[in-house]
Amino acid sequence: MDYGITIRTPIPFTEAVARVRDALKAQGFGVLTEIDVRATLRDKLGQDMEDYLILGACNPPLAHRALDADRRIGLLLPCNVVVRTAGGQTIIEALNPQTMVQVAGQPSLKSVADEATSKIRAALDSLQDSDRPAR
């Protein structure tokens, strides 16, 4: 199983980040955490790399259902979404929620993972559908 759901777009990085936030919000996700990996590695290690941002996204009703099914599932939350650049494109990747079913081995998480997967895919698909830079 591929543990990520990925799209590539010509949308510039900064604009893509804003669009990702909007697309997640439209699917009921809020961004709880943000890690600027590029800045962190530069500041802490003096290393440079491409733009690389990790957004910790959470859909509260889905998180609640998952936690009711298995309290340890918090180890796999929130849903990480990565926005990064490579080869002149912006790559947007989200952890496939089906991974939590496999890792936890809890069949009761399947319906939550199915719904989360549908919402994550819808968010990413909306970005793919509007991948021309704004004017």
Side-chain angles (χ1 to χ4, degrees):
M1 170 199 234
D2 186 0
Y3 61 94
I5 301 168
T6 304
I7 66 164
R8 294 173 180 271
T9 179
I11 301 170
F13 178 80
T14 302
E15 184 179 342
V17 170
R19 288 189 186 188
V20 167
R21 288 178 185 280
D22 290 344
L24 289 169
K25 185 176 181 180
Q27 293 298 320
F29 290 86
V31 175
L32 302 178
T33 60
E34 179 178 318
I35 303 168
D36 184 337
V37 177
R38 179 182 187 181
T40 300
L41 293 181
R42 183 184 57 239
D43 295 346
K44 302 292 183 187
L45 302 176
Q47 298 294 315
D48 196 28
M49 68 178 292
E50 71 278 4
D51 291 317
Y52 196 112
L53 187 70
I54 302 171
L55 302 174
C58 178
N59 179 303
L62 292 177
H64 183 253
R65 285 175 44 206
L67 288 164
D68 276 351
D70 182 354
R71 288 290 198 230
R72 294 189 69 214
I73 206 66
L75 294 166
L76 300 174
L77 298 177
C79 296
N80 281 333
V81 178
V82 172
V83 184
R84 62 187 178 91
T85 57
Q89 291 187 308
T90 300
I91 300 169
I92 303 159
E93 301 174 298
L95 179 68
N96 186 337
Q98 298 300 327
T99 304
M100 74 178 171
V101 177
Q102 287 192 329
V103 170
Q106 290 283 351
S108 58
L109 290 170
K110 176 121 176 59
S111 67
V112 178
D114 288 346
E115 189 173 342
T117 301
S118 176
K119 289 179 178 297
I120 292 287
R121 284 192 189 280
L124 296 187
D125 286 348
S126 75
L127 296 165
Q128 197 75 62
D129 294 340
S130 63
D131 65 1
R132 288 183 306 280
R135 295 175 196 252

